[in-house]
Every structure is written in C-alpha cells, then in structure tokens.
Amino acid sequence: MIVNTARFVISNSDVTKCPTDNLHEYAFIGRSNVGKSSLINMLTNRKDLAKTSATPGKTLLINHFLVNDSWYIVDLPGYGFARRNKEGRAEISRIIKSYILNRKQMTNLFLLIDSRHSPQKIDLEFMEWLGENEVPFSIVFTKLDKLTSSAAKKAIENYLSVLLEQWEALPPIFKTSSEDKRGRDELLSYIEEMNKLPLAEK
Ligand code: GTP
Ligand code: MG
C-alpha cells in the first residue's frame, strides 16, 4: 500500500467521542516508550504526526489519524508507566480497556514489544486479557536496529517459545524498526488485506 495522505483528526479520553464514520481502524498499544508513536510516523512517512519522546508517558489520549482518507491509525497511551501514580495508571488502563472492548471499528490491535527485553509479566498478562476477550491482535517487535541480527533472532525465538507455553497458536508477528523502516511493507500489506474485509460486528 502506498500512503499518500495522513492527518491528525482528534484526541480524546472517551471512546464514545471517537470518530463516528465506519472505517477500519488499527490501534497501536504497548508499554510506555516501546515505540508506538515512532512506528506510526514510520508507517505514514511523517516525522511528527504522532508525538514521540524519550520520556515515557508522552501519549495520554486516544489519538486518531486518518490515512489515505479511508482508514484510521490509533495511537493509544502506553501502559505500565512506573512514574505515574496508581490513580493515573488505573485511569489509563480504564481508557485503554474501554476503547478496546467497545470500539467496533477496531479491526486489529497491534501490540508492540521492545525486542531487546525478555518477556515481561505486564505484556503477557495483557495478552491473556486480550485472549479472554477475543480481541484480534498481532505482535510487533520494535527497535530491531538496536540488536545484531543474531541477537534479534535469539531474542524473538525466546519470546515466542515463552508465548507457546501459554498459547496454542501464535498471532501474526512483525519485526520492525522505526529507524531503518524494516517491517513497514509487511505491516502495510497486512492492513491493506484487512481493509478489504467487512467491518466486524461487536
Ligand atoms: P509513550 O507515548 O510515552 O507511551 O511512548 P511510545 O511507545 O509512543 O514511544 P515513542 O515512539 O515516543 O518512542 C520512545 C523512544 O524510543 C524515543 O526516544 C524514540 O526515538 C525511540 N524509538 C522508537 N522506535 C525506535 C526504533 O525503532 N529504533 C530506535 N533506535 N529507537 C526507537
Ligand atoms: Mg506515544
């Protein structure tokens, strides 16, 4: 897919105030600082469409971006940000979960995992929650430019073997870097295929 246009539409904390047109949308989620906003900029070929920061916790709201006037990318706040207080984390969790469970236009959730880290409890528990709620998701390994190819291979194999202790089958897996754009074509082709399907009922 060629991305011709991408523009910011709306930010809010309430799923009922998200855009009402019936277009496919794809949300990006993961721990704070995993690279969600950077990946969105990489996919859309834009430097500052989604706000990025070296300080975790930059994205606090549900942000909709319209691509090619025909589908949405959604940037969600990161979960598990330790420096936010308990109430703040609970509020983010409430926003994320209500969006995921209620947004019928959300065709697929991309769960981002930093390829440098061993499997973290918070991500594994989040995947379990997705499974229990039958939320369609894919895993996107990020920041692969920070590992040598052999270290990356080893890290991802290890991650998948841990997942297979919990899951019978693995979701689709993407290996990406927002720095060198690897994985971009694969992700966009995947989205292009899903855009052809009718919107699921929820
Ligand atoms: P929050 O909105 O705070 O939850 O973070 P986020 O997941 O949106 O992460 P963001 O895209 O803001 O990136 C966090 C930091 O990681 C920034 O300093 C980025 O430059 C860096 N980063 C993101 N993706 C990559 C990547 O693929 N490679 C490298 N080397 N750095 C990356
Ligand atoms: Mg962000």
Side-chain angles (χ1 to χ4, degrees), residues 132-202:
E132 281 162 15
N133 289 285
E134 298 178 15
V135 178
F137 73 99
S138 310
I139 295 179
V140 177
F141 289 102
T142 64
K143 307 193 186 184
L144 274 147
D145 60 283
K146 293 203 175 200
L147 292 175
T148 62
S149 60
S150 63
K153 190 166 177 278
K154 213 169 139 190
I156 291 174
E157 273 172 7
N158 175 55
Y159 205 100
L160 299 183
S161 72
V162 170
L163 283 185
L164 282 169
E165 291 169 11
Q166 207 175 336
W167 294 80
E168 270 175 39
L170 294 174
I173 305 288
F174 297 92
K175 299 168 193 171
T176 71
S177 160
S178 299
E179 285 290 312
D180 63 22
K181 299 197 167 221
R182 85 184 80 169
R184 183 174 186 272
D185 292 347
E186 290 81 357
L187 274 169
L188 287 174
S189 301
Y190 185 68
I191 290 172
E192 189 171 26
E193 283 311 303
M194 284 193 289
N195 277 343
K196 294 176 186 162
L197 303 171
L199 272 175
E201 297 285 322
K202 255 192 197 162

Side-chain angles (χ1 to χ4, degrees), residues 25-28 105-110 136-138 190 194:
E25 71 186 46
Y26 303 89
F28 292 78
Q105 292 92 332
M106 193 194 72
T107 301
N108 188 69
L109 182 68
F110 290 104
F137 73 99
S138 310
Y190 185 68
M194 284 193 289

Side-chain angles (χ1 to χ4, degrees), residues 9 24 37 95 98 101 117 131 166 182 185 190 192:
V9 176
H24 282 281
S37 301
I95 293 172
S98 138
L101 295 178
H117 301 158
Q166 207 175 336
R182 85 184 80 169
D185 292 347
Y190 185 68
E192 189 171 26

